[in-house]
Amino acid sequence: MIRLENINKTYFGAQPLHVLKGIDLHIGEGEMVSIMGASGSGKSTLLNILGILDNYDSGDYRLNGKLVKNLTENQAADMRNQLIGFIFQSFNLIPFKTAMENVALPLYYQNVGRKKRNQLALEYLERFGLKEWADHYPNQLSGGQKQRVSMARALVTQPKIILADEPTGALDSKTSAEVMQILREVHQTGITMVIVTHERGIALRTDKIIHLKDGIIENIETNDPDSIDFSKEIK
Amino acid sequence: MDFWQEIFMALRRNKSRTILTGFAISWGIFILIVLLAAGNGIINAVGEEFSDQSRNVYTIYWGETSKPFKGHGTNRAIYFNDKDIRFLETESKHVDQLSPSSYFSGTASFNDKSNSIFVNGVRPVYKEINNVKMLEGRFINAQDEKSGEKFIVIDKTLRDKLFGEGVSPLGKFVIVNNMAFNVVGVCDAERHSDGGDSYIPFSTLKSIRRISRYWKLSFTVKGLETKEDNEAFTHYLRTQLARLHEFDPDDTSAVYIRSMQEEYLQTMKIFNTFELFIWIIGFAMLISGIVGVSNIMRITVKERTNEIGIRKALGAKSRSILASIVTESLIITTVFGYIGMWLGMMVAEVSGKILGDIQAGEGLSMNIVPSIDIRIVLMATALLVVCGVLAGFFPARNAVKIKPIEAMNYR
């Protein structure tokens, strides 16, 4: 599903910053992996490249078999729209749209009709137990609810991949656990999932933990979440 | 359809932003229109004072010499006589129709009521020259002048005093200094002095008073278009009168020559400057309006950078984001521009009516009616709309160029 070969990325600022120094990575279809690393290790940059939100300097990135390189802005937008669902730490909901409208928004950019859009959005909200909150604005929702809305939004287009950037970073431990539980359930449906986190407790709920350090992959740890008793896990 | 629904929802949900931006536009247009209308009102009022017919008018008043000349001392009064009239009527190709003026004062009575009266002997053309407004009946006509009948046109003030308000005096006889005059018309009072203005045929005045000296000659002119024409003609008149009355041609106080055309041109020159001044102010206001609107647009787009980033991450294309932002600003500027335009024109209209009524009620001769050229209004509104949209377009274009991830994290 995702295949990276020798990806390099440098930020040219006052002092050039070589953030990713030759990343080779393969993530198969239906895998649930996490990327861990200290801040500055390049994990967010990597996720942005995976999400085609940022470009890279050299190497090859294949997504769903297609080379993601030198795309026009429109091609990138189409690929994001069709293949990828995003979940962000700060939720990134549009404040003046209701929960339902936020969830329906990606469908708008797929030219799905209004009625169909809202119907699908409601279905996904219902799936996350938020049907009664469909007409609420983001500022009327709790953190956990907001994250569930953004998960519904990420899933409504039925993407191949979910990219989550610190999805529990702004949530308390109980809500975090709930969110991770939902993500696991989503993963069971066969969606590939990449989660960036710096919390081990979150990473332990994924099948593969990729440790990133100073722009290179330090090691890849395989993990079996089912063998861990999370009720004892201290966050 | 969906596109428009998105736009209107965004406008509705961001009410304060929409209204604030809109207010800036409405206010700019409103002030501009009111200002231009007021300026136009004043200019029109002055222009009206000089109606076409009264513009080609010369009036020569008697004066006193201030310089000795050919053995004559100073302070010699110069009055006009029949020689002057003959000269003006025959010698000058520019003089069209002439009316000398002379007068006597006395007491007018009707039944048991009496009042002081100021009787002018004039020719029919006097009415046009001096813009005498008739309230009822007629003015002195050519027939009266020929026959020398004792006809009289009295003014409103005298009519009210002798006959009572609203009572028609036509066909009745007033006694002036023991002579009966048949009232043929009532005119609006020009002078509000006690004697008022009453008119009898010039020939009648001459036959009853045997007057040969006149204090004023007024006449219409033709073929004088420019300021230079008028100056040359004034100079010609002065030298000819100096010759006839033996005074120094450079003595400007011997006779007073007043050219309405010259005065008109002079006033118009002042008002052209005034108009330019109004335009400069209006233009400055338009600029400040544009700057204000542009600023709000710029800040609005900056505020929306996060939203733009989110939309891009969700698969929005730059073009579609740009299209919706530009359409939003187009709708705001057009709708609020229209509101401002409408309000401005309404205020101009209503104040025009109110001012008109007040002026009519107080009998003011100047009539200030604010008015505005609709083309200018539309052009100014269009300019503001275009500038508002452009002001939204450029920062929006920059915002959609930012990588989505940076836009989302923009604070």
Side-chain angles (χ1 to χ4, degrees), chain A residues 48 54 73 77-78 80-81 86 92 96-97 101 109 114 117 137, chain B residues 2 5-6 9 13 307 310-312 314 316-318 403 405 408:
Chain A
N48 289 338
D54 206 346
E73 235 191 287
D78 279 336
R80 277 200 296 271
N81 188 245
F86 289 97
N92 281 334
F96 62 84
K97 284 178 177 284
E101 287 161 351
Y109 291 115
R114 185 175 203 79
R117 241 167 36 219
Y137 291 95
Chain B
D2 240 18
Q5 266 172 331
E6 274 287 307
M9 199 197 70
R13 298 273 170 82
E307 183 196 330
I310 297 169
R311 284 178 187 268
K312 282 183 81 172
L314 297 181
K317 292 181 179 130
S318 297
K403 281 180 209 149
I405 200 74
M408 272 190 287

PDB file of all heavy atoms in Angstrom, chain A residues 48 54 73 77-78 80-81 86 92 96-97 101 109 114 117 137, chain B residues 2 5-6 9 13 307 310-312 314 316-318 403 405 408:
ATOM      1  N   ASN A  48       3.352  13.903   6.873  1.00  0.00           N
ATOM      2  CA  ASN A  48       2.897  14.882   5.882  1.00  0.00           C
ATOM      3  C   ASN A  48       3.241  14.435   4.468  1.00  0.00           C
ATOM      4  O   ASN A  48       2.470  14.648   3.535  1.00  0.00           O
ATOM      5  CB  ASN A  48       3.509  16.254   6.152  1.00  0.00           C
ATOM      6  CG  ASN A  48       2.917  16.883   7.399  1.00  0.00           C
ATOM      7  OD1 ASN A  48       1.820  16.508   7.810  1.00  0.00           O
ATOM      8  ND2 ASN A  48       3.638  17.803   8.010  1.00  0.00           N
ATOM      9  N   ASP A  54       2.892  17.441   1.975  1.00  0.00           N
ATOM     10  CA  ASP A  54       4.195  18.071   1.801  1.00  0.00           C
ATOM     11  C   ASP A  54       4.938  17.250   0.741  1.00  0.00           C
ATOM     12  O   ASP A  54       4.619  16.081   0.528  1.00  0.00           O
ATOM     13  CB  ASP A  54       4.946  18.047   3.152  1.00  0.00           C
ATOM     14  CG  ASP A  54       5.962  19.171   3.241  1.00  0.00           C
ATOM     15  OD1 ASP A  54       6.273  19.777   2.179  1.00  0.00           O
ATOM     16  OD2 ASP A  54       6.438  19.458   4.354  1.00  0.00           O
ATOM     17  N   GLU A  73      -0.855  20.303  -8.068  1.00  0.00           N
ATOM     18  CA  GLU A  73      -1.650  20.515  -6.866  1.00  0.00           C
ATOM     19  C   GLU A  73      -2.998  19.802  -6.961  1.00  0.00           C
ATOM     20  O   GLU A  73      -3.484  19.228  -5.997  1.00  0.00           O
ATOM     21  CB  GLU A  73      -1.875  22.013  -6.673  1.00  0.00           C
ATOM     22  CG  GLU A  73      -1.422  22.484  -5.317  1.00  0.00           C
ATOM     23  CD  GLU A  73      -1.912  23.884  -5.082  1.00  0.00           C
ATOM     24  OE1 GLU A  73      -1.365  24.815  -5.710  1.00  0.00           O
ATOM     25  OE2 GLU A  73      -2.831  24.026  -4.276  1.00  0.00           O
ATOM     26  N   ALA A  77      -4.533  16.893  -4.655  1.00  0.00           N
ATOM     27  CA  ALA A  77      -5.820  17.077  -3.990  1.00  0.00           C
ATOM     28  C   ALA A  77      -6.735  15.886  -4.263  1.00  0.00           C
ATOM     29  O   ALA A  77      -7.404  15.377  -3.366  1.00  0.00           O
ATOM     30  CB  ALA A  77      -6.474  18.380  -4.460  1.00  0.00           C
ATOM     31  N   ASP A  78      -6.738  15.430  -5.530  1.00  0.00           N
ATOM     32  CA  ASP A  78      -7.588  14.287  -5.877  1.00  0.00           C
ATOM     33  C   ASP A  78      -7.154  13.020  -5.139  1.00  0.00           C
ATOM     34  O   ASP A  78      -7.987  12.263  -4.644  1.00  0.00           O
ATOM     35  CB  ASP A  78      -7.538  14.041  -7.393  1.00  0.00           C
ATOM     36  CG  ASP A  78      -8.478  14.979  -8.138  1.00  0.00           C
ATOM     37  OD1 ASP A  78      -9.443  15.451  -7.485  1.00  0.00           O
ATOM     38  OD2 ASP A  78      -8.253  15.237  -9.329  1.00  0.00           O
ATOM     39  N   ARG A  80      -5.486  12.784  -2.295  1.00  0.00           N
ATOM     40  CA  ARG A  80      -5.835  12.936  -0.879  1.00  0.00           C
ATOM     41  C   ARG A  80      -7.304  12.629  -0.677  1.00  0.00           C
ATOM     42  O   ARG A  80      -7.698  11.902   0.218  1.00  0.00           O
ATOM     43  CB  ARG A  80      -5.568  14.376  -0.423  1.00  0.00           C
ATOM     44  CG  ARG A  80      -4.154  14.671  -0.040  1.00  0.00           C
ATOM     45  CD  ARG A  80      -4.096  15.915   0.834  1.00  0.00           C
ATOM     46  NE  ARG A  80      -4.534  17.121   0.127  1.00  0.00           N
ATOM     47  CZ  ARG A  80      -3.712  17.902  -0.575  1.00  0.00           C
ATOM     48  NH1 ARG A  80      -2.438  17.605  -0.670  1.00  0.00           N
ATOM     49  NH2 ARG A  80      -4.173  18.987  -1.179  1.00  0.00           N
ATOM     50  N   ASN A  81      -8.078  13.210  -1.553  1.00  0.00           N
ATOM     51  CA  ASN A  81      -9.526  13.097  -1.411  1.00  0.00           C
ATOM     52  C   ASN A  81     -10.014  11.656  -1.550  1.00  0.00           C
ATOM     53  O   ASN A  81     -10.918  11.220  -0.859  1.00  0.00           O
ATOM     54  CB  ASN A  81     -10.198  14.000  -2.454  1.00  0.00           C
ATOM     55  CG  ASN A  81     -11.695  14.108  -2.257  1.00  0.00           C
ATOM     56  OD1 ASN A  81     -12.452  13.675  -3.093  1.00  0.00           O
ATOM     57  ND2 ASN A  81     -12.108  14.655  -1.123  1.00  0.00           N
ATOM     58  N   PHE A  86      -7.654  11.888   7.034  1.00  0.00           N
ATOM     59  CA  PHE A  86      -6.755  12.468   8.033  1.00  0.00           C
ATOM     60  C   PHE A  86      -7.435  12.604   9.387  1.00  0.00           C
ATOM     61  O   PHE A  86      -8.603  12.981   9.473  1.00  0.00           O
ATOM     62  CB  PHE A  86      -6.297  13.860   7.599  1.00  0.00           C
ATOM     63  CG  PHE A  86      -5.347  13.854   6.442  1.00  0.00           C
ATOM     64  CD1 PHE A  86      -5.814  14.057   5.149  1.00  0.00           C
ATOM     65  CD2 PHE A  86      -3.992  13.647   6.646  1.00  0.00           C
ATOM     66  CE1 PHE A  86      -4.943  14.055   4.083  1.00  0.00           C
ATOM     67  CE2 PHE A  86      -3.112  13.650   5.577  1.00  0.00           C
ATOM     68  CZ  PHE A  86      -3.587  13.852   4.288  1.00  0.00           C
ATOM     69  N   ASN A  92      -9.000  19.961  13.764  1.00  0.00           N
ATOM     70  CA  ASN A  92      -9.165  20.695  12.512  1.00  0.00           C
ATOM     71  C   ASN A  92     -10.577  20.581  11.935  1.00  0.00           C
ATOM     72  O   ASN A  92     -10.762  20.321  10.753  1.00  0.00           O
ATOM     73  CB  ASN A  92      -8.143  20.232  11.481  1.00  0.00           C
ATOM     74  CG  ASN A  92      -6.778  20.853  11.733  1.00  0.00           C
ATOM     75  OD1 ASN A  92      -6.704  21.937  12.314  1.00  0.00           O
ATOM     76  ND2 ASN A  92      -5.733  20.171  11.333  1.00  0.00           N
ATOM     77  N   PHE A  96     -17.514  26.938  11.827  1.00  0.00           N
ATOM     78  CA  PHE A  96     -18.866  27.438  11.524  1.00  0.00           C
ATOM     79  C   PHE A  96     -19.732  26.392  10.823  1.00  0.00           C
ATOM     80  O   PHE A  96     -20.805  26.709  10.324  1.00  0.00           O
ATOM     81  CB  PHE A  96     -18.807  28.745  10.713  1.00  0.00           C
ATOM     82  CG  PHE A  96     -18.141  28.623   9.380  1.00  0.00           C
ATOM     83  CD1 PHE A  96     -18.867  28.192   8.281  1.00  0.00           C
ATOM     84  CD2 PHE A  96     -16.814  28.951   9.216  1.00  0.00           C
ATOM     85  CE1 PHE A  96     -18.273  28.084   7.043  1.00  0.00           C
ATOM     86  CE2 PHE A  96     -16.210  28.846   7.977  1.00  0.00           C
ATOM     87  CZ  PHE A  96     -16.940  28.408   6.891  1.00  0.00           C
ATOM     88  N   LYS A  97     -19.242  25.151  10.814  1.00  0.00           N
ATOM     89  CA  LYS A  97     -20.058  24.080  10.248  1.00  0.00           C
ATOM     90  C   LYS A  97     -20.458  23.114  11.359  1.00  0.00           C
ATOM     91  O   LYS A  97     -19.695  22.878  12.296  1.00  0.00           O
ATOM     92  CB  LYS A  97     -19.269  23.325   9.172  1.00  0.00           C
ATOM     93  CG  LYS A  97     -19.163  24.102   7.862  1.00  0.00           C
ATOM     94  CD  LYS A  97     -18.339  23.352   6.852  1.00  0.00           C
ATOM     95  CE  LYS A  97     -18.273  24.066   5.522  1.00  0.00           C
ATOM     96  NZ  LYS A  97     -19.491  23.947   4.726  1.00  0.00           N
ATOM     97  N   GLU A 101     -22.110  18.696   8.851  1.00  0.00           N
ATOM     98  CA  GLU A 101     -21.534  19.390   7.694  1.00  0.00           C
ATOM     99  C   GLU A 101     -20.030  19.162   7.600  1.00  0.00           C
ATOM    100  O   GLU A 101     -19.473  19.042   6.509  1.00  0.00           O
ATOM    101  CB  GLU A 101     -21.850  20.883   7.781  1.00  0.00           C
ATOM    102  CG  GLU A 101     -23.304  21.189   7.483  1.00  0.00           C
ATOM    103  CD  GLU A 101     -23.735  22.556   7.994  1.00  0.00           C
ATOM    104  OE1 GLU A 101     -22.953  23.196   8.724  1.00  0.00           O
ATOM    105  OE2 GLU A 101     -24.855  22.957   7.666  1.00  0.00           O
ATOM    106  N   TYR A 109     -16.249  17.770  -1.960  1.00  0.00           N
ATOM    107  CA  TYR A 109     -15.159  17.878  -2.929  1.00  0.00           C
ATOM    108  C   TYR A 109     -15.073  16.661  -3.842  1.00  0.00           C
ATOM    109  O   TYR A 109     -14.249  16.596  -4.725  1.00  0.00           O
ATOM    110  CB  TYR A 109     -13.838  18.138  -2.204  1.00  0.00           C
ATOM    111  CG  TYR A 109     -13.825  19.517  -1.581  1.00  0.00           C
ATOM    112  CD1 TYR A 109     -13.773  19.690  -0.204  1.00  0.00           C
ATOM    113  CD2 TYR A 109     -13.922  20.646  -2.386  1.00  0.00           C
ATOM    114  CE1 TYR A 109     -13.800  20.953   0.357  1.00  0.00           C
ATOM    115  CE2 TYR A 109     -13.948  21.914  -1.840  1.00  0.00           C
ATOM    116  CZ  TYR A 109     -13.882  22.066  -0.464  1.00  0.00           C
ATOM    117  OH  TYR A 109     -13.917  23.317   0.076  1.00  0.00           O
ATOM    118  N   ARG A 114     -25.948  16.924  -2.237  1.00  0.00           N
ATOM    119  CA  ARG A 114     -26.135  17.369  -0.872  1.00  0.00           C
ATOM    120  C   ARG A 114     -26.876  16.335  -0.016  1.00  0.00           C
ATOM    121  O   ARG A 114     -26.480  16.015   1.103  1.00  0.00           O
ATOM    122  CB  ARG A 114     -26.914  18.678  -0.895  1.00  0.00           C
ATOM    123  CG  ARG A 114     -27.090  19.320   0.446  1.00  0.00           C
ATOM    124  CD  ARG A 114     -27.773  20.670   0.320  1.00  0.00           C
ATOM    125  NE  ARG A 114     -27.461  21.490   1.478  1.00  0.00           N
ATOM    126  CZ  ARG A 114     -26.326  22.137   1.643  1.00  0.00           C
ATOM    127  NH1 ARG A 114     -25.389  22.089   0.722  1.00  0.00           N
ATOM    128  NH2 ARG A 114     -26.117  22.853   2.736  1.00  0.00           N
ATOM    129  N   ARG A 117     -24.809  13.297   0.623  1.00  0.00           N
ATOM    130  CA  ARG A 117     -23.723  13.703   1.502  1.00  0.00           C
ATOM    131  C   ARG A 117     -24.160  13.676   2.959  1.00  0.00           C
ATOM    132  O   ARG A 117     -23.534  13.060   3.818  1.00  0.00           O
ATOM    133  CB  ARG A 117     -23.352  15.140   1.159  1.00  0.00           C
ATOM    134  CG  ARG A 117     -21.958  15.282   0.708  1.00  0.00           C
ATOM    135  CD  ARG A 117     -21.635  16.600   0.089  1.00  0.00           C
ATOM    136  NE  ARG A 117     -22.231  17.798   0.568  1.00  0.00           N
ATOM    137  CZ  ARG A 117     -22.625  18.772  -0.242  1.00  0.00           C
ATOM    138  NH1 ARG A 117     -22.526  18.612  -1.545  1.00  0.00           N
ATOM    139  NH2 ARG A 117     -23.123  19.875   0.247  1.00  0.00           N
ATOM    140  N   TYR A 137     -22.295  22.519  16.779  1.00  0.00           N
ATOM    141  CA  TYR A 137     -21.068  23.079  16.240  1.00  0.00           C
ATOM    142  C   TYR A 137     -19.894  22.557  17.059  1.00  0.00           C
ATOM    143  O   TYR A 137     -20.068  22.176  18.220  1.00  0.00           O
ATOM    144  CB  TYR A 137     -21.125  24.604  16.276  1.00  0.00           C
ATOM    145  CG  TYR A 137     -22.129  25.151  15.303  1.00  0.00           C
ATOM    146  CD1 TYR A 137     -23.427  25.462  15.701  1.00  0.00           C
ATOM    147  CD2 TYR A 137     -21.789  25.314  13.959  1.00  0.00           C
ATOM    148  CE1 TYR A 137     -24.359  25.931  14.793  1.00  0.00           C
ATOM    149  CE2 TYR A 137     -22.711  25.790  13.042  1.00  0.00           C
ATOM    150  CZ  TYR A 137     -24.005  26.095  13.463  1.00  0.00           C
ATOM    151  OH  TYR A 137     -24.901  26.549  12.556  1.00  0.00           O
TER     152      TYR A 137
ATOM    153  N   ASP B   2     -25.048  23.545  -5.450  1.00  0.00           N
ATOM    154  CA  ASP B   2     -24.354  23.181  -4.223  1.00  0.00           C
ATOM    155  C   ASP B   2     -23.335  24.240  -3.859  1.00  0.00           C
ATOM    156  O   ASP B   2     -23.191  24.615  -2.702  1.00  0.00           O
ATOM    157  CB  ASP B   2     -23.642  21.846  -4.446  1.00  0.00           C
ATOM    158  CG  ASP B   2     -24.135  20.807  -3.468  1.00  0.00           C
ATOM    159  OD1 ASP B   2     -25.214  21.022  -2.892  1.00  0.00           O
ATOM    160  OD2 ASP B   2     -23.431  19.795  -3.300  1.00  0.00           O
ATOM    161  N   GLN B   5     -25.022  27.120  -2.322  1.00  0.00           N
ATOM    162  CA  GLN B   5     -25.478  26.809  -0.966  1.00  0.00           C
ATOM    163  C   GLN B   5     -24.317  26.913   0.020  1.00  0.00           C
ATOM    164  O   GLN B   5     -24.464  27.451   1.116  1.00  0.00           O
ATOM    165  CB  GLN B   5     -26.088  25.409  -0.925  1.00  0.00           C
ATOM    166  CG  GLN B   5     -27.593  25.463  -1.124  1.00  0.00           C
ATOM    167  CD  GLN B   5     -28.195  24.089  -1.289  1.00  0.00           C
ATOM    168  OE1 GLN B   5     -27.540  23.171  -1.773  1.00  0.00           O
ATOM    169  NE2 GLN B   5     -29.440  23.955  -0.903  1.00  0.00           N
ATOM    170  N   GLU B   6     -23.169  26.393  -0.400  1.00  0.00           N
ATOM    171  CA  GLU B   6     -21.971  26.484   0.439  1.00  0.00           C
ATOM    172  C   GLU B   6     -21.641  27.942   0.741  1.00  0.00           C
ATOM    173  O   GLU B   6     -21.358  28.311   1.866  1.00  0.00           O
ATOM    174  CB  GLU B   6     -20.774  25.841  -0.280  1.00  0.00           C
ATOM    175  CG  GLU B   6     -20.652  24.350  -0.086  1.00  0.00           C
ATOM    176  CD  GLU B   6     -20.172  23.999   1.318  1.00  0.00           C
ATOM    177  OE1 GLU B   6     -19.125  24.521   1.768  1.00  0.00           O
ATOM    178  OE2 GLU B   6     -20.864  23.206   1.968  1.00  0.00           O
ATOM    179  N   MET B   9     -24.193  29.600   3.026  1.00  0.00           N
ATOM    180  CA  MET B   9     -24.065  29.097   4.386  1.00  0.00           C
ATOM    181  C   MET B   9     -22.866  29.751   5.076  1.00  0.00           C
ATOM    182  O   MET B   9     -22.965  30.192   6.215  1.00  0.00           O
ATOM    183  CB  MET B   9     -23.913  27.586   4.376  1.00  0.00           C
ATOM    184  CG  MET B   9     -24.224  27.002   5.709  1.00  0.00           C
ATOM    185  SD  MET B   9     -23.585  25.338   5.823  1.00  0.00           S
ATOM    186  CE  MET B   9     -21.855  25.659   5.880  1.00  0.00           C
ATOM    187  N   ARG B  13     -23.289  31.871   8.420  1.00  0.00           N
ATOM    188  CA  ARG B  13     -22.695  31.394   9.676  1.00  0.00           C
ATOM    189  C   ARG B  13     -21.639  32.357  10.209  1.00  0.00           C
ATOM    190  O   ARG B  13     -21.280  32.307  11.368  1.00  0.00           O
ATOM    191  CB  ARG B  13     -22.073  30.022   9.469  1.00  0.00           C
ATOM    192  CG  ARG B  13     -23.051  28.949   9.064  1.00  0.00           C
ATOM    193  CD  ARG B  13     -23.693  28.302  10.273  1.00  0.00           C
ATOM    194  NE  ARG B  13     -24.783  27.446   9.889  1.00  0.00           N
ATOM    195  CZ  ARG B  13     -24.630  26.188   9.461  1.00  0.00           C
ATOM    196  NH1 ARG B  13     -23.429  25.663   9.388  1.00  0.00           N
ATOM    197  NH2 ARG B  13     -25.680  25.469   9.126  1.00  0.00           N
ATOM    198  N   GLU B 307      -8.880  27.331   7.853  1.00  0.00           N
ATOM    199  CA  GLU B 307      -9.980  26.698   7.130  1.00  0.00           C
ATOM    200  C   GLU B 307      -9.524  26.267   5.741  1.00  0.00           C
ATOM    201  O   GLU B 307      -9.850  25.158   5.281  1.00  0.00           O
ATOM    202  CB  GLU B 307     -11.139  27.701   7.036  1.00  0.00           C
ATOM    203  CG  GLU B 307     -12.376  27.140   6.381  1.00  0.00           C
ATOM    204  CD  GLU B 307     -13.328  28.247   5.965  1.00  0.00           C
ATOM    205  OE1 GLU B 307     -13.355  29.299   6.622  1.00  0.00           O
ATOM    206  OE2 GLU B 307     -14.027  28.046   4.967  1.00  0.00           O
ATOM    207  N   ILE B 310      -7.484  23.133   6.060  1.00  0.00           N
ATOM    208  CA  ILE B 310      -8.327  21.959   6.324  1.00  0.00           C
ATOM    209  C   ILE B 310      -8.990  21.502   5.033  1.00  0.00           C
ATOM    210  O   ILE B 310      -8.979  20.327   4.673  1.00  0.00           O
ATOM    211  CB  ILE B 310      -9.406  22.281   7.384  1.00  0.00           C
ATOM    212  CG1 ILE B 310      -8.747  22.641   8.715  1.00  0.00           C
ATOM    213  CG2 ILE B 310     -10.353  21.092   7.562  1.00  0.00           C
ATOM    214  CD1 ILE B 310      -9.705  23.231   9.740  1.00  0.00           C
ATOM    215  N   ARG B 311      -9.552  22.468   4.333  1.00  0.00           N
ATOM    216  CA  ARG B 311     -10.259  22.118   3.093  1.00  0.00           C
ATOM    217  C   ARG B 311      -9.313  21.462   2.094  1.00  0.00           C
ATOM    218  O   ARG B 311      -9.676  20.503   1.409  1.00  0.00           O
ATOM    219  CB  ARG B 311     -10.891  23.367   2.468  1.00  0.00           C
ATOM    220  CG  ARG B 311     -12.147  23.833   3.184  1.00  0.00           C
ATOM    221  CD  ARG B 311     -12.699  25.095   2.555  1.00  0.00           C
ATOM    222  NE  ARG B 311     -13.810  25.648   3.321  1.00  0.00           N
ATOM    223  CZ  ARG B 311     -15.087  25.359   3.096  1.00  0.00           C
ATOM    224  NH1 ARG B 311     -15.417  24.517   2.137  1.00  0.00           N
ATOM    225  NH2 ARG B 311     -16.034  25.905   3.829  1.00  0.00           N
ATOM    226  N   LYS B 312      -8.080  21.981   2.029  1.00  0.00           N
ATOM    227  CA  LYS B 312      -7.126  21.387   1.091  1.00  0.00           C
ATOM    228  C   LYS B 312      -6.781  19.961   1.511  1.00  0.00           C
ATOM    229  O   LYS B 312      -6.679  19.068   0.669  1.00  0.00           O
ATOM    230  CB  LYS B 312      -5.864  22.249   1.009  1.00  0.00           C
ATOM    231  CG  LYS B 312      -6.083  23.473   0.137  1.00  0.00           C
ATOM    232  CD  LYS B 312      -4.825  24.282   0.001  1.00  0.00           C
ATOM    233  CE  LYS B 312      -3.905  23.693  -1.060  1.00  0.00           C
ATOM    234  NZ  LYS B 312      -2.776  24.585  -1.336  1.00  0.00           N
ATOM    235  N   LEU B 314      -8.627  17.950   2.938  1.00  0.00           N
ATOM    236  CA  LEU B 314      -9.779  17.096   2.650  1.00  0.00           C
ATOM    237  C   LEU B 314      -9.981  16.904   1.151  1.00  0.00           C
ATOM    238  O   LEU B 314     -10.934  16.270   0.728  1.00  0.00           O
ATOM    239  CB  LEU B 314     -11.049  17.683   3.263  1.00  0.00           C
ATOM    240  CG  LEU B 314     -11.054  17.782   4.792  1.00  0.00           C
ATOM    241  CD1 LEU B 314     -12.370  18.365   5.271  1.00  0.00           C
ATOM    242  CD2 LEU B 314     -10.809  16.420   5.426  1.00  0.00           C
ATOM    243  N   ALA B 316      -9.821  19.587  -1.281  1.00  0.00           N
ATOM    244  CA  ALA B 316     -10.305  20.721  -2.061  1.00  0.00           C
ATOM    245  C   ALA B 316      -9.203  21.187  -2.981  1.00  0.00           C
ATOM    246  O   ALA B 316      -8.029  21.174  -2.616  1.00  0.00           O
ATOM    247  CB  ALA B 316     -10.711  21.858  -1.130  1.00  0.00           C
ATOM    248  N   LYS B 317      -9.585  21.578  -4.192  1.00  0.00           N
ATOM    249  CA  LYS B 317      -8.599  22.117  -5.110  1.00  0.00           C
ATOM    250  C   LYS B 317      -8.492  23.617  -4.890  1.00  0.00           C
ATOM    251  O   LYS B 317      -9.482  24.269  -4.544  1.00  0.00           O
ATOM    252  CB  LYS B 317      -9.019  21.811  -6.546  1.00  0.00           C
ATOM    253  CG  LYS B 317      -8.917  20.331  -6.777  1.00  0.00           C
ATOM    254  CD  LYS B 317      -9.288  19.925  -8.168  1.00  0.00           C
ATOM    255  CE  LYS B 317      -9.127  18.424  -8.258  1.00  0.00           C
ATOM    256  NZ  LYS B 317     -10.273  17.755  -8.812  1.00  0.00           N
ATOM    257  N   SER B 318      -7.292  24.130  -5.133  1.00  0.00           N
ATOM    258  CA  SER B 318      -7.055  25.561  -4.909  1.00  0.00           C
ATOM    259  C   SER B 318      -8.084  26.404  -5.646  1.00  0.00           C
ATOM    260  O   SER B 318      -8.590  27.384  -5.126  1.00  0.00           O
ATOM    261  CB  SER B 318      -5.665  25.936  -5.406  1.00  0.00           C
ATOM    262  OG  SER B 318      -4.704  25.251  -4.663  1.00  0.00           O
ATOM    263  N   LYS B 403       1.310  25.390   1.720  1.00  0.00           N
ATOM    264  CA  LYS B 403       1.071  23.952   1.874  1.00  0.00           C
ATOM    265  C   LYS B 403      -0.017  23.748   2.916  1.00  0.00           C
ATOM    266  O   LYS B 403      -0.045  24.453   3.931  1.00  0.00           O
ATOM    267  CB  LYS B 403       2.358  23.282   2.350  1.00  0.00           C
ATOM    268  CG  LYS B 403       3.351  23.068   1.238  1.00  0.00           C
ATOM    269  CD  LYS B 403       4.587  22.410   1.800  1.00  0.00           C
ATOM    270  CE  LYS B 403       5.812  22.788   1.000  1.00  0.00           C
ATOM    271  NZ  LYS B 403       7.012  22.806   1.836  1.00  0.00           N
ATOM    272  N   ILE B 405      -0.469  21.787   5.279  1.00  0.00           N
ATOM    273  CA  ILE B 405      -0.065  21.535   6.653  1.00  0.00           C
ATOM    274  C   ILE B 405       0.327  22.836   7.351  1.00  0.00           C
ATOM    275  O   ILE B 405       0.022  23.065   8.511  1.00  0.00           O
ATOM    276  CB  ILE B 405       1.080  20.487   6.699  1.00  0.00           C
ATOM    277  CG1 ILE B 405       1.164  19.865   8.084  1.00  0.00           C
ATOM    278  CG2 ILE B 405       2.409  21.051   6.270  1.00  0.00           C
ATOM    279  CD1 ILE B 405       0.044  18.887   8.332  1.00  0.00           C
ATOM    280  N   MET B 408      -2.875  24.835   8.006  1.00  0.00           N
ATOM    281  CA  MET B 408      -3.652  24.330   9.142  1.00  0.00           C
ATOM    282  C   MET B 408      -3.050  24.759  10.464  1.00  0.00           C
ATOM    283  O   MET B 408      -3.763  25.004  11.428  1.00  0.00           O
ATOM    284  CB  MET B 408      -3.712  22.799   9.081  1.00  0.00           C
ATOM    285  CG  MET B 408      -4.860  22.290   8.264  1.00  0.00           C
ATOM    286  SD  MET B 408      -5.062  20.531   8.440  1.00  0.00           S
ATOM    287  CE  MET B 408      -3.687  19.936   7.502  1.00  0.00           C
TER     288      MET B 408
END
